[in-house]
Amino acid sequence: MLIPTDDEAAVLIAENADALGDAFLFPRIDAELPRRLASKRGLYEVCLCNDVPTARAAFPTNVSEVDEFAADAVF
């Protein structure tokens, strides 16, 4: 039985499920899901897609995007 104890282990198991499947027991999930959930942006997007309440987030790529977000964000 494989039990991941951190994000990296969950990613490793999911992405290598075919190679590990004969030797270990573990749930089969979408190979990309653990990597998405380990990412703050990915987790935010999964929450939005599944109507899970989540705080507003921004992922700025430059200073003007930071300023734009900060102008009306609640801190």
Side-chain angles (χ1 to χ4, degrees):
M1 181 178 296
L2 282 177
I3 301 172
T5 57
D6 58 22
D7 292 340
E8 290 83 8
V11 169
L12 177 84
I13 293 168
E15 291 180 353
N16 294 283
D18 290 338
L20 298 169
D22 291 336
F24 298 98
L25 175 64
F26 56 92
R28 300 299 178 108
I29 59 170
D30 179 349
E32 297 176 15
L33 184 60
R35 189 172 294 279
R36 275 189 83 193
L37 296 178
S39 154
K40 287 179 177 49
R41 181 181 214 146
L43 177 59
Y44 178 72
E45 291 169 353
V46 168
C47 287
L48 290 179
C49 289
N50 291 283
D51 297 321
V52 175
T54 185
R56 184 173 162 224
F59 303 93
T61 59
N62 58 52
V63 174
S64 64
E65 290 176 355
V66 172
D67 291 339
E68 183 180 319
F69 179 79
D72 64 347
V74 177
F75 296 96

